[in-house]
Coordinates of all heavy atoms in Angstrom, one line a residue:
V1 N -6.5 4.2 11.5 CA -6.8 4.5 10.1 C -8.3 4.2 9.8 O -9.0 5.0 9.1 CB -5.9 3.7 9.1 CG1 -6.4 3.8 7.7 CG2 -4.4 4.1 9.2
Y2 N -8.8 3.0 10.4 CA -10.2 2.7 10.2 C -11.0 3.7 10.7 O -12.1 4.1 10.2 CB -10.4 1.3 10.7 CG -11.8 0.8 10.5 CD1 -12.3 0.4 9.2 CD2 -12.8 0.8 11.5 CE1 -13.5 -0.1 9.0 CE2 -14.1 0.3 11.3 CZ -14.5 -0.1 10.0 OH -15.7 -0.6 9.8
N3 N -10.8 4.2 12.0 CA -11.6 5.2 12.6 C -11.6 6.5 11.8 O -12.6 7.2 11.7 CB -11.1 5.4 14.0 CG -11.5 4.3 15.0 OD1 -12.3 3.5 14.7 ND2 -10.7 4.2 16.1
A4 N -10.4 6.9 11.2 CA -10.4 8.0 10.4 C -11.3 7.9 9.1 O -11.9 8.9 8.7 CB -8.9 8.3 9.9
V5 N -11.4 6.7 8.6 CA -12.3 6.5 7.5 C -13.8 6.6 8.0 O -14.6 7.3 7.3 CB -12.1 5.1 6.9 CG1 -13.2 4.7 5.8 CG2 -10.7 5.0 6.2
T6 N -14.1 5.9 9.0 CA -15.5 5.9 9.4 C -16.0 7.2 10.0 O -17.2 7.5 10.0 CB -15.8 4.8 10.5 OG1 -14.9 5.0 11.6 CG2 -15.5 3.4 9.9
S7 N -15.1 8.1 10.4 CA -15.5 9.4 10.9 C -15.4 10.4 9.8 O -15.7 11.6 10.0 CB -14.5 9.8 12.0 OG -13.2 10.0 11.6
G8 N -15.1 10.0 8.6 CA -15.0 11.0 7.4 C -13.8 11.8 7.4 O -13.7 12.7 6.5
R9 N -12.7 11.5 8.1 CA -11.5 12.3 8.1 C -10.5 11.8 7.0 O -9.6 12.5 6.7 CB -10.9 12.4 9.5 CG -11.6 13.1 10.6 CD -10.8 13.1 11.9 NE -10.8 11.8 12.5 CZ -9.7 11.1 12.6 NH1 -8.5 11.5 12.1 NH2 -9.7 9.9 13.2
L10 N -10.7 10.6 6.5 CA -9.8 10.0 5.6 C -10.6 9.3 4.5 O -11.5 8.5 4.7 CB -8.9 9.0 6.2 CG -7.8 8.3 5.4 CD1 -6.8 9.3 4.9 CD2 -7.1 7.1 6.1
A11 N -10.4 9.6 3.2 CA -11.0 9.0 2.1 C -10.7 7.5 2.0 O -9.6 7.2 2.3 CB -10.6 9.7 0.8
P12 N -11.7 6.7 1.8 CA -11.4 5.3 1.8 C -10.3 4.8 0.8 O -9.6 3.9 1.1 CB -12.8 4.6 1.4 CG -13.8 5.7 1.8 CD -13.1 7.0 1.7
W13 N -10.2 5.5 -0.3 CA -9.2 5.1 -1.3 C -7.7 5.3 -0.7 O -6.9 4.6 -1.0 CB -9.4 5.8 -2.6 CG -9.1 7.2 -2.7 CD1 -10.1 8.2 -2.4 CD2 -7.9 7.9 -2.9 NE1 -9.4 9.5 -2.6 CE2 -8.1 9.3 -2.9 CE3 -6.6 7.4 -3.2 CZ2 -7.2 10.2 -3.0 CZ3 -5.6 8.4 -3.3 CH2 -5.9 9.8 -3.3
R14 N -7.7 6.4 0.1 CA -6.3 6.6 0.7 C -6.0 5.5 1.8 O -4.9 5.1 1.9 CB -6.3 8.0 1.4 CG -6.3 9.1 0.4 CD -6.2 10.5 1.2 NE -6.1 11.6 0.2 CZ -4.9 12.0 -0.2 NH1 -3.8 11.5 0.1 NH2 -4.9 13.0 -1.1
A15 N -7.1 5.1 2.5 CA -6.9 4.0 3.5 C -6.5 2.7 2.7 O -5.7 2.0 3.3 CB -8.1 3.8 4.3
E16 N -7.1 2.5 1.6 CA -6.7 1.3 0.8 C -5.2 1.3 0.5 O -4.5 0.3 0.4 CB -7.6 1.1 -0.4 CG -9.0 0.8 -0.1 CD -9.8 0.5 -1.4 OE1 -9.3 -0.4 -2.2 OE2 -10.8 1.0 -1.6
R17 N -4.7 2.4 0.1 CA -3.3 2.6 -0.2 C -2.4 2.3 1.0 O -1.4 1.6 0.8 CB -3.0 4.0 -0.8 CG -1.5 4.3 -1.1 CD -1.0 3.5 -2.2 NE 0.4 3.7 -2.4 CZ 0.9 4.7 -3.2 NH1 0.1 5.6 -3.8 NH2 2.2 4.9 -3.2
I18 N -2.8 2.8 2.1 CA -2.1 2.5 3.4 C -2.1 1.0 3.7 O -1.1 0.4 4.0 CB -2.7 3.3 4.5 CG1 -2.5 4.8 4.3 CG2 -2.0 2.9 5.8 CD1 -3.3 5.7 5.2
A19 N -3.2 0.4 3.5 CA -3.4 -1.0 3.8 C -2.5 -1.9 2.9 O -1.9 -2.9 3.2 CB -4.9 -1.5 3.6
D20 N -2.4 -1.4 1.6 CA -1.5 -2.2 0.7 C -0.1 -2.2 1.2 O 0.7 -3.2 1.1 CB -1.5 -1.6 -0.7 CG -2.8 -2.0 -1.5 OD1 -3.3 -3.1 -1.2 OD2 -3.2 -1.2 -2.5
L21 N 0.4 -1.1 1.8 CA 1.8 -1.0 2.2 C 1.9 -1.7 3.5 O 3.1 -2.2 3.8 CB 2.1 0.5 2.4 CG 2.2 1.4 1.1 CD1 2.5 2.8 1.4 CD2 3.3 0.8 0.2
T22 N 0.9 -1.8 4.4 CA 1.2 -2.4 5.7 C 0.9 -3.9 5.7 O 1.2 -4.6 6.5 CB 0.3 -1.8 6.7 OG1 -1.1 -1.9 6.4 CG2 0.6 -0.3 6.9
H23 N 0.2 -4.4 4.6 CA -0.2 -5.8 4.5 C 1.0 -6.8 4.8 O 0.8 -7.7 5.6 CB -0.8 -6.1 3.2 CG -1.3 -7.5 3.0 ND1 -2.6 -7.8 2.5 CD2 -0.8 -8.7 3.4 CE1 -2.8 -9.0 2.6 NE2 -1.8 -9.6 3.0
P24 N 2.2 -6.6 4.2 CA 3.3 -7.6 4.5 C 4.0 -7.4 5.8 O 4.8 -8.2 6.2 CB 4.2 -7.4 3.3 CG 4.0 -5.9 3.0 CD 2.6 -5.6 3.2
L25 N 3.6 -6.3 6.6 CA 4.4 -6.1 7.8 C 3.9 -7.0 9.0 O 2.8 -7.5 9.0 CB 4.1 -4.6 8.3 CG 4.5 -3.5 7.3 CD1 4.3 -2.2 7.9 CD2 5.9 -3.7 6.9
S26 N 4.8 -7.2 10.0 CA 4.4 -7.9 11.2 C 3.4 -7.1 11.9 O 3.2 -5.9 11.7 CB 5.7 -8.1 12.1 OG 6.1 -6.8 12.5
A27 N 2.8 -7.8 12.9 CA 1.7 -7.1 13.7 C 2.3 -5.9 14.4 O 1.6 -4.9 14.5 CB 1.1 -8.1 14.6
E28 N 3.5 -6.1 15.0 CA 4.1 -5.0 15.7 C 4.4 -3.8 14.8 O 4.2 -2.6 15.1 CB 5.4 -5.5 16.4 CG 5.1 -6.5 17.5 CD 5.0 -7.9 16.9 OE1 5.1 -8.0 15.6 OE2 4.8 -8.9 17.7
A29 N 5.0 -4.1 13.6 CA 5.3 -3.0 12.6 C 4.1 -2.3 12.2 O 4.0 -1.1 12.1 CB 6.1 -3.5 11.5
A30 N 3.0 -3.0 11.8 CA 1.7 -2.4 11.4 C 1.1 -1.5 12.5 O 0.6 -0.4 12.3 CB 0.8 -3.5 11.0
A31 N 1.2 -2.0 13.8 CA 0.7 -1.2 14.9 C 1.5 0.1 15.0 O 0.9 1.2 15.4 CB 0.7 -2.0 16.1
Y32 N 2.8 0.0 14.8 CA 3.7 1.2 14.9 C 3.2 2.2 13.8 O 3.1 3.4 14.1 CB 5.1 0.8 14.7 CG 6.1 2.0 14.6 CD1 6.5 2.7 15.7 CD2 6.5 2.4 13.3 CE1 7.3 3.8 15.5 CE2 7.3 3.5 13.2 CZ 7.8 4.2 14.3 OH 8.6 5.2 14.2
V33 N 3.1 1.8 12.6 CA 2.6 2.6 11.5 C 1.3 3.2 11.8 O 1.1 4.4 11.7 CB 2.5 1.8 10.2 CG1 2.0 2.7 9.1 CG2 3.9 1.4 9.7
D34 N 0.3 2.4 12.3 CA -1.0 2.9 12.7 C -0.9 4.0 13.7 O -1.7 5.0 13.6 CB -1.9 1.7 13.1 CG -3.3 2.1 13.4 OD1 -3.9 2.7 12.4 OD2 -3.8 1.9 14.5
R35 N -0.1 3.9 14.8 CA 0.1 4.8 15.8 C 0.6 6.2 15.3 O 0.2 7.3 15.8 CB 1.0 4.4 16.9 CG 0.4 3.3 17.7 CD 1.2 3.1 19.0 NE 2.6 2.7 18.7 CZ 3.0 1.4 18.6 NH1 2.1 0.4 18.7 NH2 4.3 1.2 18.4
Q36 N 1.4 6.2 14.3 CA 1.9 7.4 13.7 C 0.8 8.0 12.7 O 1.0 9.2 12.3 CB 3.1 7.1 12.8 CG 4.2 6.3 13.5 CD 4.6 6.8 14.9 OE1 4.8 8.0 15.0 NE2 4.6 6.0 15.9
L37 N -0.3 7.3 12.4 CA -1.2 7.8 11.4 C -2.5 8.1 12.1 O -3.6 8.0 11.5 CB -1.5 6.7 10.3 CG -0.2 6.4 9.5 CD1 -0.6 5.3 8.4 CD2 0.2 7.7 8.7
W38 N -2.5 8.5 13.4 CA -3.8 8.9 14.0 C -4.5 10.0 13.3 O -5.7 10.2 13.3 CB -3.5 9.2 15.5 CG -2.7 10.5 15.6 CD1 -1.3 10.6 15.7 CD2 -3.2 11.8 15.8 NE1 -0.9 11.9 15.8 CE2 -2.0 12.7 15.9 CE3 -4.5 12.4 15.8 CZ2 -2.2 14.0 16.0 CZ3 -4.6 13.8 15.9 CH2 -3.5 14.6 16.1
D39 N -3.7 10.8 12.6 CA -4.3 11.9 11.7 C -3.8 11.7 10.3 O -3.1 12.5 9.8 CB -4.1 13.2 12.2 CG -4.8 14.3 11.4 OD1 -5.8 14.0 10.7 OD2 -4.5 15.5 11.5
A40 N -4.2 10.6 9.7 CA -3.6 10.1 8.4 C -3.9 11.0 7.3 O -3.2 10.9 6.2 CB -4.0 8.7 8.1
S41 N -4.9 11.9 7.3 CA -5.3 12.7 6.2 C -4.2 13.6 5.7 O -4.2 14.0 4.6 CB -6.5 13.5 6.5 OG -6.3 14.3 7.7
G42 N -3.2 13.9 6.6 CA -2.2 14.9 6.1 C -0.9 14.2 5.7 O 0.1 14.9 5.5
V43 N -0.9 12.9 5.7 CA 0.4 12.2 5.3 C 0.5 12.0 3.8 O -0.4 11.5 3.2 CB 0.4 10.8 6.1 CG1 1.7 10.1 5.7 CG2 0.4 11.1 7.6
G44 N 1.7 12.4 3.2 CA 1.9 12.2 1.8 C 2.4 10.8 1.6 O 2.8 10.1 2.5
W45 N 2.4 10.4 0.3 CA 2.8 9.0 -0.1 C 4.2 8.8 0.2 O 4.6 7.7 0.7 CB 2.5 8.8 -1.5 CG 1.0 8.8 -1.9 CD1 0.4 9.5 -2.9 CD2 -0.1 8.2 -1.1 NE1 -0.9 9.3 -2.8 CE2 -1.3 8.6 -1.8 CE3 -0.2 7.4 0.0 CZ2 -2.5 8.1 -1.4 CZ3 -1.5 7.0 0.5 CH2 -2.6 7.4 -0.2
A46 N 5.1 9.8 -0.1 CA 6.5 9.6 0.1 C 6.8 9.4 1.6 O 7.6 8.5 2.1 CB 7.3 10.7 -0.5
Q47 N 6.1 10.2 2.5 CA 6.3 10.2 3.9 C 5.8 8.8 4.4 O 6.4 8.2 5.3 CB 5.5 11.3 4.5 CG 5.7 11.3 6.1 CD 4.9 12.4 6.7 OE1 4.3 13.3 6.0 NE2 4.8 12.5 8.0
L48 N 4.7 8.3 3.8 CA 4.1 7.0 4.3 C 5.1 5.9 3.9 O 5.3 5.0 4.7 CB 2.8 6.9 3.6 CG 2.0 5.5 3.8 CD1 1.7 5.3 5.3 CD2 0.8 5.4 3.0

């Protein structure tokens, strides 16, 4: 997600929303979510 932001593929405000949802997750669960979001720009909120 961070690389998508720094490369201009994902708006920072969208990344902030993702971070809010992953904050309470364990490290393993957050890593799993991150792997599914290698192209996070196309993910809707319900899907996330």
Side-chain angles (χ1 to χ4, degrees):
V1 171
Y2 184 74
N3 289 337
V5 171
T6 56
S7 64
R9 292 184 290 109
L10 181 67
W13 68 269
R14 288 183 176 272
E16 288 190 52
R17 173 69 182 274
I18 295 171
D20 280 337
L21 292 175
T22 62
H23 186 131
L25 301 184
S26 66
E28 296 81 4
Y32 172 79
V33 172
D34 185 55
R35 289 194 298 271
Q36 313 306 312
L37 295 177
W38 63 272
D39 186 17
S41 58
V43 177
W45 298 131
Q47 181 181 355
L48 177 62

